[in-house]
Amino acid sequence: LSGRDAAFATELTYGTLRRSGTYDRIAAAAIDRPWDGVDPPVRDLLRLGTHQLLGMQVPSHAAVATTVTLATRELGRGRAGFVNAVLRRVARERENCPLPDLASNPVGHLEHALSLPHWIAERWLADYGPDAAVALARASNAAPPLSVRANPLRGTRERLLENLKADFPDARMCRYATHGLVLGHGGAPGN
């Protein structure tokens, strides 16, 4: 993959992983059986499709169609039909899926609205309180900036930073990694 396709695939992968707790809750609300009873490959596809719908703002028809095509190819028509039905319902009812409220269910809010594992939600609430736990969860879910490492056998990171400044105006040296550069969000450093 190159350019936009590579960036799309990267965001699809990492975004789905970052928000899987939220997407599990939303997809589970769109089915009539326990989430744990859904085959793991189907759950993965539902997470991917839900991330396209809710986290990437891919048009509903495109997100559903591409996910169903993948499901058909990998899992067969029967399970693809299930994926189709669930994702259409998620797209239709995206605003109506209640996620737990921080005030009434702090652990559920951190786990489902902010996608933390249950044990981390409990620990952070106990150790830091609700406000700090929410801030930590939001920071954990933020897309990290693109970072690279300069190869000292090919030049200094200062020279690499100079070369990359035109394409990455916000680029800066890493604070702790002696060969690292933080380029910011977006772009492809290999081009």
Side-chain angles (χ1 to χ4, degrees):
L1 299 175
S2 63
R4 292 178 71 166
D5 290 340
F8 182 87
T10 299
E11 173 53 28
L12 183 59
T13 303
Y14 291 132
T16 299
L17 291 171
R18 270 194 310 273
R19 299 304 310 245
S20 63
T22 303
Y23 299 148
D24 286 0
R25 173 73 176 231
I26 291 168
I31 62 175
D32 58 0
R33 62 177 121 158
W35 181 247
D36 291 343
V38 177
D39 291 339
V42 173
R43 285 191 304 224
D44 290 342
L45 288 170
L46 291 173
R47 289 177 186 125
L48 287 168
T50 302
H51 182 58
Q52 289 179 70
L53 290 167
L54 305 179
M56 297 178 73
Q57 285 77 43
V58 171
S60 296
H61 68 280
V64 172
T66 56
T67 307
V68 169
T69 299
L70 180 59
T72 302
R73 188 180 73 216
E74 298 299 320
L75 305 175
R77 286 187 186 269
R79 290 193 280 179
F82 177 74
V83 168
N84 182 44
V86 173
L87 289 179
R88 285 181 182 275
R89 186 167 181 195
V90 167
R92 197 172 50 248
E93 299 176 7
R94 69 177 76 197
E95 303 302 323
N96 298 329
C97 181
L99 295 172
D101 178 60
L102 180 63
S104 62
N105 184 355
V107 172
H109 181 76
L110 289 173
E111 184 177 2
H112 299 296
L114 298 175
S115 206
L116 282 183
H118 184 83
W119 69 273
I120 292 177
E122 285 182 328
R123 179 172 292 171
W124 284 2
L125 283 167
D127 290 351
Y128 307 116
D131 292 338
V134 165
L136 284 167
R138 287 190 175 133
S140 295
N141 284 328
L146 179 63
S147 300
V148 296
R149 179 187 175 276
N151 181 346
L153 299 175
R154 300 193 62 192
T156 65
R157 78 172 173 169
E158 290 79 11
R159 193 169 107 215
L160 180 59
L161 178 62
E162 235 177 78
N163 293 339
L164 291 171
K165 271 292 194 182
D167 293 327
F168 299 93
D170 297 329
R172 59 181 164 56
M173 292 186 200
C174 288
R175 183 181 307 172
Y176 300 110
T178 57
H179 300 292
L181 297 172
V182 176
L183 303 182
H185 295 280
N191 294 341

